[in-house]
Amino acid sequence: GEACGYHFVFADRGGETVGYACHGPIPATLQSHDLYWIVVRKSEQGRGLGSRLLAAAEARIHARGGHRVYVETSSRLDYAATRGFYRGQGYELKAELEDFYAPGDGKQIWLKVLT
């Protein structure tokens, strides 16, 4: 429910969920939100669904008074497409914490300011 702080946007096709985005306000902040996950079924990838889910999540965040959206991801090479996705959606890399998850696997923090 509302009190848990997690909010979802779902994409369904033919009665099945094919993707979702999860976001929520960051405790102890006034206008900052985290985007926790965007998940798109592999067979649905490359069709713009992730972009539409992200836009819907950002619209909901903005409607709740949020203006800053943060995304965390890995710095590993196999996350390059993920980082490219966020860059293409207007997010900027703001910080990297080296070896955060494991040696050679840093945490990157991306930000988009909603206007």
Side-chain angles (χ1 to χ4, degrees):
E2 188 71 26
C4 77
Y6 291 97
H7 305 279
F8 291 86
V9 178
F10 290 96
D12 296 325
R13 179 165 292 139
E16 291 187 24
T17 298
V18 295
Y20 69 89
C22 177
H23 61 90
I26 300 173
T29 70
L30 185 60
Q31 299 177 327
S32 297
H33 288 241
D34 274 323
L35 177 70
Y36 296 111
W37 304 285
I38 293 182
V39 178
V40 175
R41 183 181 286 177
K42 193 159 193 81
S43 63
E44 300 289 326
Q45 292 177 1
R47 300 180 184 184
L49 181 55
S51 297
R52 292 191 302 275
L53 285 167
L54 180 57
E58 290 171 350
R60 289 181 179 198
I61 290 167
H62 194 257
R64 293 175 168 277
H67 293 284
R68 299 174 71 82
V69 182
Y70 291 89
V71 177
E72 298 175 3
T73 191
S74 172
S75 65
R76 289 188 345 222
L77 184 58
D78 54 327
Y79 281 82
T82 300
R83 294 188 299 272
F85 170 77
Y86 288 119
R87 186 178 297 109
Q89 300 299 316
Y91 284 75
E92 295 182 45
L93 179 62
K94 291 297 183 177
E96 183 169 342
L97 307 175
E98 295 179 8
D99 301 324
F100 183 84
Y101 298 109
D105 186 4
K107 174 165 79 170
Q108 291 188 347
I109 302 170
W110 295 73
L111 168 67
K112 183 174 184 179
V113 178
L114 306 177
T115 55

